[in-house]
Amino acid sequence: MPAYDLIIRNGTIVDGTGQDRFTGDIAIKDGLIAQVGRVSGDAAEEIDAGGQLVTPGFVDIHTHYDGQATWDQEMAPSSWHGVTTVVMGNCGVGFAPAKPDKHEWLIGLMEGVEDIPGTALAEGMSWDWETFPEYLDALEKLPRTVDVGTHVPHGSVRAYVLGDRERPGAVPTEDDIAEMSRIVEEGVRAGALGFSTSRTVLHRDIDGEVVPGTTATAEELVEIGRAMGRAGHGVFEMASDMMREWDEFGWMGKMSRETGLPVTFAALQSIAKELPLEEQIESMRAENDNGANIVAQIALRGNGIVMAWQGTVHPFRLKPSWKEIEDLPWEEQKARLFDPEFKARLLAEQHDFSEVNQDIIGLIMVVCGGWNMQFEMDPDFNYEPTAAESILERAKAAGVSGDEYAYDLLCRDDGKGFIYLPILNYADGNLDFLMDLQQSDDTVNSLSDGGAHCGTICDAASPTFMLQHWVRDRSRGTITLENAIKRQCADTARLYGLEDRGVLAPGYLADLNIIDMDRLKLGKPWLAFDLPAGGKRLLQKAEGYVATIKNGKVTFREGEWTGETPGGLIRGPQRVELLEAAE
């Protein structure tokens, strides 16, 4: 009988610790790494990784697969990009706890905030749970290509406790807060990895109402944090507009010091945030210097939207002529869009902003005509484009208006052209400000939103972008491969207490990637209509992933799913029993 299940030989090993790469072998047995270094003996399967990188599987801590994880075993698109562990239930939205009369409300909340088609969620989910522990049990029934862990979401908890009283500005009673805290403690004790909330005007339900956490008091949030403290573990995750009057860092610091638990927040250059990013980081570090443990989640590229005729957003959605055809089948829409008379009429019209919420009117105006901030997505698109590459400049060079250039661009490729609009994280027209943050122990690489923003964003490919752009191709300065892998593997895993993964060493989970860096390349996004009920989603694959391995099983070879589903549900922090490394 072979000594091992799998041996990966001759690979360039980047082990996730930040230490220098080295050439060696990795032996795997019973789902764990058995040896690293020079491995003798045989195995049921061997893979020659000569000239290729061998890394830990990527740990993505900011996803929204809460519904998809109940029906989908492949867990694309994150699983296509070397991700072997996802944490979902972020931003205060999710599906447990859930009373039967709140199913539709929770779907509307997720659809509004995360742009996941409500029809897909309604058809795809079985709702064979009510409490949060029952939701975990339901997740545990389905094997997948990746491990999943989740937060208890604030929106679901508030809706469960307040019922019909839950609306913007609702003030829970002391008994309400006590019951919310009890539910969160119960969920964390059952295996949730933490609790999440959202406090930004950019997050609204399908009817345009701000999400429940936006108007919550610091007292409510701290009490919920204390509930996690009683359970003994958990991460408090938050997206916020960082209004000065809220003193977010004050209560986050207090909560973290009192409970001993980490608090993490989305740190972005954002038009919605009152505190500039630099001040967010300074405020976080002041609290940490005083004994808190607050961690900033940073994105590695401009967070924005990918616009297309069939997507959720494009620059002409508020034109009267578009309104006339928006409910037609695509082939009929396309015929109208390609009609010169229709094009001329639409371009001559004014946008109708009458029904736009005034909180986001500035953003909508940028969507509808901010040509200096919008970019054409070429086949080899660089996600750090320059001003000279903007639609404004390309329109000038072509001798046409920005409106006409954008219209024609969307009509390319048989009506499947894309425009990129980086709304967040691109105030400077470059990503230089992220260089230092990627060297900091108080930040983690995050905010991929995998599984969400199906018609507007395709950032689940973030780990691939990190390697292709930040490590290999960036002309304005790169980061080291060792640091990049540590940040996407060990650092993200440790924040959530997942100490059994993110490092290639004996005793750790056999979650690995074999990557050909010379071939690594993001593909062109495309719109698929493959969710339940024909729901749409933006997808993006990559070349260069030779193999992805989860718990010792090869789940993907050259980007294709093998059918293996060794992933399961993570319940609470995970520990590892270290074995003696091979010499």
Side-chain angles (χ1 to χ4, degrees):
M1 179 177 292
Y4 303 107
D5 300 322
L6 175 65
I7 297 176
I8 301 167
R9 295 201 182 273
N10 308 313
T12 300
I13 297 173
V14 185
D15 66 8
T17 65
Q19 299 300 308
D20 290 345
R21 70 198 79 175
F22 59 93
T23 301
D25 310 327
I26 297 177
I28 295 168
K29 188 172 180 62
D30 298 330
L32 300 176
I33 296 172
Q35 287 194 23
V36 177
R38 294 188 299 273
V39 176
S40 58
D42 59 355
E45 180 184 359
E46 295 198 6
I47 298 176
D48 183 0
Q52 297 164 349
L53 296 182
V54 182
T55 76
F58 301 140
V59 179
D60 189 339
I61 61 172
H62 196 107
T63 76
H64 294 278
Y65 289 107
D66 309 74
Q68 186 177 334
T70 68
W71 74 73
D72 179 27
Q73 294 185 285
E74 187 175 6
M75 295 292 284
S78 290
S79 59
W80 296 344
H81 295 276
V83 173
T84 53
T85 298
V86 302
V87 178
M88 56 196 194
N90 287 280
C91 299
V93 291
F95 300 114
K99 292 178 180 176
D101 64 349
K102 283 297 182 181
H103 290 177
E104 185 176 345
W105 188 89
L106 291 171
I107 287 174
L109 185 65
M110 181 68 80
E111 183 173 13
V113 173
E114 301 299 342
D115 188 28
I116 301 173
T119 51
L121 294 168
E123 180 170 311
M125 286 192 293
S126 62
W127 292 105
D128 53 343
W129 63 84
E130 177 172 328
T131 68
F132 196 87
E134 289 170 348
Y135 175 64
L136 293 181
D137 292 342
L139 289 173
E140 203 161 35
K141 294 175 184 176
L142 185 70
R144 305 171 195 81
T145 61
V146 303
D147 279 345
V148 299
T150 187
H151 301 88
V152 182
H154 197 184
S156 302
V157 174
R158 292 251 314 200
Y160 195 83
V161 174
L162 272 64
D164 292 339
R165 290 182 290 135
E166 174 47 55
R167 56 180 53 87
V171 179
T173 66
E174 289 187 7
D175 288 344
D176 291 334
I177 294 175
E179 178 62 6
M180 284 191 275
S181 298
R182 184 198 66 77
I183 289 170
V184 172
E185 181 176 351
E186 175 186 60
V188 171
R189 289 188 184 278
L193 298 182
F195 168 85
S196 72
T197 191
S198 173
R199 295 160 62 72
T200 170
V201 297
L202 296 180
H203 284 169
R204 296 173 179 270
D205 68 16
I206 196 65
D207 296 319
E209 300 284 5
V210 294
V211 299
T214 308
T215 56
T217 64
E219 289 75 18
E220 175 183 339
L221 299 171
V222 170
E223 280 300 319
I224 290 173
R226 287 171 177 153
M228 287 198 297
R230 291 192 295 273
H233 74 270
V235 176
F236 192 109
E237 185 272 338
M238 179 182 70
S240 172
D241 288 339
M242 297 295 176
M243 302 299 290
R244 294 184 188 279
E245 65 189 71
W246 293 348
D247 187 24
E248 302 283 53
F249 288 100
W251 67 258
M252 284 194 289
K254 174 184 177 181
M255 178 196 300
S256 179
R257 284 188 292 271
E258 181 177 331
T259 64
L261 300 178
V263 180
T264 184
F265 70 100
L268 294 160
Q269 288 180 340
S270 170
I271 56 176
K273 295 183 188 296
E274 189 170 340
L275 269 63
L277 179 61
E278 295 80 2
E279 190 172 345
Q280 296 173 44
I281 299 299
E282 290 172 2
S283 300
M284 173 189 73
R285 288 173 175 166
E287 292 294 335
N288 288 346
D289 288 344
N290 196 27
N293 180 11
I294 307 175
V295 179
Q297 294 189 24
I298 62 171
L300 296 189
R301 68 185 188 197
N303 289 70
I305 51 180
V306 177
M307 299 191 285
W309 287 130
Q310 291 183 276
T312 302
V313 177
H314 61 70
F316 307 105
R317 287 196 69 89
L318 298 181
K319 295 270 192 169
S321 291
W322 172 260
K323 292 291 185 182
E324 293 174 8
I325 69 169
E326 65 178 342
D327 294 325
L328 295 177
W330 166 239
E331 289 301 321
E332 294 182 38
Q333 280 185 348
K334 185 170 67 171
R336 299 290 293 278
L337 291 167
F338 280 61
D339 178 352
E341 291 186 7
F342 179 88
K343 171 186 171 182
R345 176 158 57 92
L346 181 145
L347 291 179
E349 294 170 344
Q350 298 297 312
H351 300 280
D352 180 6
F353 297 114
S354 61
E355 296 183 6
V356 174
N357 189 291
Q358 291 304 300
D359 287 339
I360 57 173
I361 187 66
L363 168 61
I364 298 302
M365 293 181 72
V366 170
V367 169
C368 292
W371 308 127
N372 62 320
M373 299 174 61
Q374 298 187 26
F375 302 90
E376 176 179 352
M377 295 191 75
D378 302 311
D380 294 318
F381 182 66
N382 178 355
Y383 285 88
E384 194 171 0
T386 65
E389 298 170 283
S390 69
I391 287 177
L392 176 66
E393 294 303 320
R394 291 193 174 183
K396 287 180 181 178
V400 298
S401 69
D403 296 62
E404 184 172 2
Y405 192 93
Y407 189 103
D408 291 343
L409 193 166
L410 293 173
C411 287
R412 291 179 193 170
D413 191 20
D414 197 34
K416 297 176 183 176
F418 290 110
I419 293 174
Y420 175 63
L421 168 57
I423 299 169
L424 313 177
N425 261 23
Y426 217 63
D428 305 324
N430 61 65
L431 301 173
D432 290 352
F433 72 99
L434 290 169
M435 183 66 79
D436 289 342
L437 293 178
Q438 292 184 78
Q439 321 299 324
S440 303
D441 292 337
D442 52 12
T443 69
V444 289
N445 292 0
S446 183
L447 306 179
S448 81
D449 274 333
H453 301 290
C454 297
T456 51
I457 293 177
C458 197
D459 287 352
S462 291
T464 305
F465 174 76
M466 172 188 69
L467 293 176
Q468 178 182 328
H469 186 75
W470 278 102
V471 172
R472 193 188 66 192
D473 294 344
R474 188 171 186 264
S475 61
R476 299 177 65 91
T478 58
I479 63 173
T480 69
L481 173 64
E482 287 81 359
N483 183 48
I485 296 301
K486 174 178 178 289
R487 292 184 63 81
Q488 192 63 62
C489 301
D491 290 356
T492 45
R494 294 304 170 273
L495 175 59
Y496 278 82
L498 306 181
E499 298 177 6
D500 61 342
R501 67 199 70 203
V503 171
L504 300 181
Y508 284 80
L509 291 182
D511 296 357
L512 305 93
N513 285 307
I514 303 174
I515 303 170
D516 185 338
M517 277 291 283
D518 291 338
R519 288 195 293 125
L520 191 70
K521 181 181 178 182
L522 285 168
K524 181 182 177 180
W526 78 95
L527 266 170
F529 295 84
D530 60 352
L531 290 175
K536 68 187 173 190
R537 57 176 177 163
L538 272 166
L539 296 174
Q540 187 175 31
K541 296 196 95 171
E543 299 176 10
Y545 284 95
V546 177
T548 297
I549 298 162
K550 171 66 192 154
N551 289 351
K553 301 290 186 182
V554 179
T555 50
F556 291 87
R557 294 183 191 271
E558 293 294 346
E560 297 299 321
W561 182 25
T562 64
E564 293 281 2
T565 55
L569 172 70
I570 304 168
R571 287 185 184 263
Q574 304 294 308
R575 303 291 180 254
V576 62
E577 183 176 344
L578 295 179
L579 304 176
E580 185 176 350
E583 294 297 328

